[in-house]
Amino acid sequence: MNQRVRWSVLLAALVTASSAALAPGVAQADDDPPTTRELLDKCDNGTDVCVFHPDGPPRDSMGEAHQVGDSADNCTQDPQRSTVGWSDTTGESNSVGVSLSAEYGFAEAFKVSIETNYQHTWESSHTETDQTNIDVRPGEVGWVTREAQMQTVSGKYELHFPDRFHGHYIWYVPFEATGPKPDAPSTKTQHTRAMTEDEKAQHCG
């Protein structure tokens, strides 16, 4: 290939590359991409389309066991049955850190998607109130722990903008949330152990 032909081929390649870079609809690079929260705040607040696509049905799990109600100390010489009254609220967590109970467009899109796809409601919090009996031997302390049934949903939001938003007409935002499973009983467990000397001095006099 002579020098004149070589320059002609190079010039054609440069023209083609320039045309592709300026073609309509091609997203331009953005030096300051939006955060997940910034994108989700645009859901139904500047978008033509905002929908949540779950990866699959809610996944069940058990929450962390934690004490509910007061401890029951037995300072007598006889076994005692104590009734512990308690009320416990289980909340949600998600990858954005904002409760889905708030009036945000992306929260409504999430709940509608879950109900439509799986006929399954989403609860941001659930409060359970009950009384639990504990049999405590002399010189011991008893307490109750509770584990709530939870559900986790993961997927992604699809947002369409009428004009480019940070260089793109369409954005996909990954999202995951875990919350209490509606109308599901929790697990309550009674525990006992020997009181320490400090506990005996504090509670038994």
Side-chain angles (χ1 to χ4, degrees):
M1 181 181 295
N2 60 39
Q3 186 173 3
R4 178 177 298 178
V5 173
R6 186 180 298 111
W7 279 109
S8 298
V9 172
L10 178 59
L11 180 60
L14 289 174
V15 170
T16 301
S18 299
S19 299
L22 298 175
V26 177
Q28 305 300 308
D30 184 22
D31 295 331
D32 186 24
T35 64
T36 295
R37 180 61 191 277
E38 286 175 324
L39 284 167
L40 292 185
D41 280 345
K42 289 294 184 178
C43 181
D44 291 336
N45 182 35
T47 57
D48 292 330
V49 174
C50 178
V51 294
F52 178 75
H53 302 292
D55 292 335
R59 306 185 300 277
D60 293 343
S61 63
M62 297 300 295
E64 182 179 356
H66 56 282
Q67 181 175 345
V68 292
D70 296 328
S71 299
D73 304 302
N74 185 358
C75 297
T76 74
Q77 299 300 313
D78 302 307
Q80 299 289 327
R81 170 164 288 188
S82 298
T83 301
V84 176
W86 53 268
S87 180
D88 189 47
T89 299
T90 304
E92 70 179 0
S93 61
N94 58 64
S95 53
V96 178
V98 176
S99 174
L100 292 171
S101 64
E103 296 298 322
Y104 293 106
F106 71 86
E108 185 64 22
F110 178 87
K111 294 175 184 177
V112 168
S113 175
I114 301 306
E115 293 177 6
T116 301
N117 285 286
Y118 306 111
Q119 292 74 53
H120 201 79
T121 59
W122 181 266
E123 281 192 354
S124 293
S125 67
H126 176 75
T127 300
E128 182 177 358
T129 301
D130 203 352
Q131 293 183 330
T132 305
N133 293 326
I134 311 176
D135 292 320
V136 185
R137 293 186 290 267
E140 293 192 342
V141 58
W143 70 98
V144 179
T145 58
R146 174 178 180 260
E147 295 174 84
Q149 293 194 49
M150 309 293 287
Q151 58 178 351
T152 299
V153 175
S154 58
K156 61 179 177 293
Y157 282 89
E158 179 180 352
L159 297 94
H160 293 208
F161 291 86
D163 301 303
R164 283 196 181 110
F165 184 69
H166 288 265
H168 296 269
Y169 288 106
I170 300 174
W171 283 90
Y172 293 94
V173 184
F175 183 81
E176 181 174 275
T178 299
K181 187 175 181 180
D183 303 320
S186 61
T187 299
K188 279 78 71 175
T189 308
Q190 298 94 328
H191 307 266
T192 60
R193 62 167 174 80
M195 281 190 284
T196 65
E197 293 304 319
D198 287 342
E199 288 173 331
K200 289 180 180 179
Q202 181 179 358
H203 300 294
C204 300

